[in-house]
mmCIF file of all heavy atoms in Angstrom:
data_model
loop_
_atom_site.group_PDB
_atom_site.id
_atom_site.type_symbol
_atom_site.label_atom_id
_atom_site.label_comp_id
_atom_site.label_asym_id
_atom_site.label_seq_id
_atom_site.Cartn_x
_atom_site.Cartn_y
_atom_site.Cartn_z
ATOM 1 N N GLY A 287 -199.360 40.309 -77.378
ATOM 2 C CA GLY A 287 -199.314 41.589 -78.063
ATOM 3 C C GLY A 287 -198.477 41.515 -79.308
ATOM 4 O O GLY A 287 -197.865 40.488 -79.610
ATOM 5 N N GLY A 288 -198.474 42.616 -80.032
ATOM 6 C CA GLY A 288 -197.649 42.709 -81.230
ATOM 7 C C GLY A 288 -198.457 42.679 -82.504
ATOM 8 O O GLY A 288 -199.663 42.417 -82.502
ATOM 9 N N SER A 289 -197.767 42.914 -83.598
ATOM 10 C CA SER A 289 -198.374 42.886 -84.925
ATOM 11 C C SER A 289 -197.269 42.850 -85.963
ATOM 12 O O SER A 289 -196.096 43.065 -85.638
ATOM 13 C CB SER A 289 -199.280 44.098 -85.152
ATOM 14 O OG SER A 289 -198.511 45.285 -85.131
ATOM 15 N N GLY A 290 -197.665 42.562 -87.209
ATOM 16 C CA GLY A 290 -196.672 42.546 -88.278
ATOM 17 C C GLY A 290 -195.721 41.374 -88.148
ATOM 18 O O GLY A 290 -196.078 40.237 -88.443
ATOM 19 N N THR A 291 -194.514 41.649 -87.704
ATOM 20 C CA THR A 291 -193.508 40.588 -87.587
ATOM 21 C C THR A 291 -193.039 40.341 -86.158
ATOM 22 O O THR A 291 -192.263 39.413 -85.917
ATOM 23 C CB THR A 291 -192.266 40.915 -88.442
ATOM 24 O OG1 THR A 291 -191.708 42.156 -87.990
ATOM 25 C CG2 THR A 291 -192.627 41.022 -89.934
ATOM 26 N N ASP A 292 -193.457 41.156 -85.208
ATOM 27 C CA ASP A 292 -192.983 41.018 -83.832
ATOM 28 C C ASP A 292 -194.132 40.839 -82.851
ATOM 29 O O ASP A 292 -195.023 41.693 -82.774
ATOM 30 C CB ASP A 292 -192.144 42.241 -83.434
ATOM 31 C CG ASP A 292 -190.802 42.249 -84.130
ATOM 32 O OD1 ASP A 292 -189.986 41.355 -83.828
ATOM 33 O OD2 ASP A 292 -190.583 43.126 -84.984
ATOM 34 N N PHE A 293 -194.086 39.728 -82.133
ATOM 35 C CA PHE A 293 -195.151 39.377 -81.199
ATOM 36 C C PHE A 293 -194.552 38.971 -79.866
ATOM 37 O O PHE A 293 -193.413 38.488 -79.801
ATOM 38 C CB PHE A 293 -195.983 38.220 -81.776
ATOM 39 C CG PHE A 293 -196.664 38.556 -83.085
ATOM 40 C CD1 PHE A 293 -196.001 38.352 -84.282
ATOM 41 C CD2 PHE A 293 -197.933 39.102 -83.106
ATOM 42 C CE1 PHE A 293 -196.608 38.674 -85.492
ATOM 43 C CE2 PHE A 293 -198.548 39.427 -84.302
ATOM 44 C CZ PHE A 293 -197.889 39.217 -85.503
ATOM 45 N N THR A 294 -195.325 39.170 -78.797
ATOM 46 C CA THR A 294 -194.869 38.790 -77.467
ATOM 47 C C THR A 294 -195.984 38.094 -76.703
ATOM 48 O O THR A 294 -197.173 38.362 -76.902
ATOM 49 C CB THR A 294 -194.405 40.005 -76.652
ATOM 50 O OG1 THR A 294 -195.471 40.942 -76.575
ATOM 51 C CG2 THR A 294 -193.176 40.652 -77.267
ATOM 52 N N LEU A 295 -195.565 37.191 -75.828
ATOM 53 C CA LEU A 295 -196.439 36.588 -74.832
ATOM 54 C C LEU A 295 -195.885 37.004 -73.483
ATOM 55 O O LEU A 295 -194.699 36.787 -73.212
ATOM 56 C CB LEU A 295 -196.461 35.063 -74.954
ATOM 57 C CG LEU A 295 -197.236 34.321 -73.859
ATOM 58 C CD1 LEU A 295 -198.740 34.571 -74.009
ATOM 59 C CD2 LEU A 295 -196.933 32.819 -73.895
ATOM 60 N N THR A 296 -196.741 37.573 -72.663
ATOM 61 C CA THR A 296 -196.323 38.015 -71.337
ATOM 62 C C THR A 296 -197.095 37.248 -70.275
ATOM 63 O O THR A 296 -198.321 37.088 -70.379
ATOM 64 C CB THR A 296 -196.564 39.530 -71.160
ATOM 65 O OG1 THR A 296 -195.827 40.238 -72.147
ATOM 66 C CG2 THR A 296 -196.117 39.981 -69.782
ATOM 67 N N ILE A 297 -196.365 36.737 -69.306
ATOM 68 C CA ILE A 297 -196.975 36.108 -68.129
ATOM 69 C C ILE A 297 -196.649 37.015 -66.969
ATOM 70 O O ILE A 297 -195.480 37.184 -66.615
ATOM 71 C CB ILE A 297 -196.439 34.687 -67.892
ATOM 72 C CG1 ILE A 297 -196.483 33.872 -69.194
ATOM 73 C CG2 ILE A 297 -197.249 33.989 -66.797
ATOM 74 C CD1 ILE A 297 -195.785 32.524 -69.097
ATOM 75 N N SER A 298 -197.674 37.626 -66.382
ATOM 76 C CA SER A 298 -197.412 38.697 -65.422
ATOM 77 C C SER A 298 -196.758 38.195 -64.136
ATOM 78 O O SER A 298 -195.826 38.819 -63.622
ATOM 79 C CB SER A 298 -198.719 39.441 -65.102
ATOM 80 O OG SER A 298 -199.672 38.533 -64.582
ATOM 81 N N ARG A 299 -197.254 37.113 -63.585
ATOM 82 C CA ARG A 299 -196.692 36.528 -62.359
ATOM 83 C C ARG A 299 -196.751 35.019 -62.515
ATOM 84 O O ARG A 299 -197.831 34.438 -62.568
ATOM 85 C CB ARG A 299 -197.491 36.940 -61.117
ATOM 86 C CG ARG A 299 -197.466 38.414 -60.778
ATOM 87 C CD ARG A 299 -198.445 38.725 -59.640
ATOM 88 N NE ARG A 299 -199.755 38.116 -59.878
ATOM 89 C CZ ARG A 299 -200.661 38.626 -60.682
ATOM 90 N NH1 ARG A 299 -200.424 39.759 -61.341
ATOM 91 N NH2 ARG A 299 -201.829 38.025 -60.837
ATOM 92 N N LEU A 300 -195.589 34.394 -62.590
ATOM 93 C CA LEU A 300 -195.536 32.960 -62.850
ATOM 94 C C LEU A 300 -196.082 32.151 -61.680
ATOM 95 O O LEU A 300 -195.660 32.309 -60.533
ATOM 96 C CB LEU A 300 -194.094 32.542 -63.139
ATOM 97 C CG LEU A 300 -193.572 32.910 -64.530
ATOM 98 C CD1 LEU A 300 -192.059 32.837 -64.569
ATOM 99 C CD2 LEU A 300 -194.184 31.987 -65.589
ATOM 100 N N GLU A 301 -197.023 31.277 -62.010
ATOM 101 C CA GLU A 301 -197.518 30.296 -61.055
ATOM 102 C C GLU A 301 -196.771 28.986 -61.298
ATOM 103 O O GLU A 301 -196.236 28.759 -62.388
ATOM 104 C CB GLU A 301 -199.024 30.086 -61.246
ATOM 105 C CG GLU A 301 -199.864 31.336 -61.010
ATOM 106 C CD GLU A 301 -199.964 31.698 -59.528
ATOM 107 O OE1 GLU A 301 -199.706 30.816 -58.671
ATOM 108 O OE2 GLU A 301 -200.304 32.859 -59.215
ATOM 109 N N PRO A 302 -196.725 28.093 -60.302
ATOM 110 C CA PRO A 302 -195.993 26.824 -60.488
ATOM 111 C C PRO A 302 -196.437 26.043 -61.723
ATOM 112 O O PRO A 302 -195.616 25.389 -62.381
ATOM 113 C CB PRO A 302 -196.317 26.053 -59.205
ATOM 114 C CG PRO A 302 -196.560 27.116 -58.194
ATOM 115 C CD PRO A 302 -197.249 28.235 -58.936
ATOM 116 N N GLU A 303 -197.723 26.131 -62.088
ATOM 117 C CA GLU A 303 -198.225 25.381 -63.235
ATOM 118 C C GLU A 303 -197.873 26.024 -64.585
ATOM 119 O O GLU A 303 -198.185 25.466 -65.644
ATOM 120 C CB GLU A 303 -199.745 25.206 -63.136
ATOM 121 C CG GLU A 303 -200.555 26.501 -63.131
ATOM 122 C CD GLU A 303 -200.823 27.042 -61.727
ATOM 123 O OE1 GLU A 303 -200.002 26.763 -60.813
ATOM 124 O OE2 GLU A 303 -201.835 27.759 -61.563
ATOM 125 N N ASP A 304 -197.243 27.192 -64.563
ATOM 126 C CA ASP A 304 -196.906 27.884 -65.810
ATOM 127 C C ASP A 304 -195.560 27.453 -66.384
ATOM 128 O O ASP A 304 -195.210 27.844 -67.502
ATOM 129 C CB ASP A 304 -196.885 29.398 -65.600
ATOM 130 C CG ASP A 304 -198.221 29.966 -65.164
ATOM 131 O OD1 ASP A 304 -199.258 29.304 -65.430
ATOM 132 O OD2 ASP A 304 -198.233 31.038 -64.540
ATOM 133 N N PHE A 305 -194.817 26.659 -65.629
ATOM 134 C CA PHE A 305 -193.508 26.239 -66.131
ATOM 135 C C PHE A 305 -193.733 25.140 -67.167
ATOM 136 O O PHE A 305 -194.249 24.058 -66.855
ATOM 137 C CB PHE A 305 -192.609 25.802 -64.974
ATOM 138 C CG PHE A 305 -192.217 26.967 -64.109
ATOM 139 C CD1 PHE A 305 -192.977 27.327 -63.000
ATOM 140 C CD2 PHE A 305 -191.110 27.750 -64.432
ATOM 141 C CE1 PHE A 305 -192.640 28.430 -62.224
ATOM 142 C CE2 PHE A 305 -190.766 28.857 -63.665
ATOM 143 C CZ PHE A 305 -191.538 29.199 -62.560
#
Side-chain angles (χ1 to χ4, degrees):
Chain A
S289 64
T291 60
D292 288 293
F293 299 88
T294 57
L295 174 70
T296 301
I297 311 172
S298 58
R299 295 172 312 280
L300 284 163
E301 298 287 341
E303 61 268 27
D304 299 337
F305 291 91

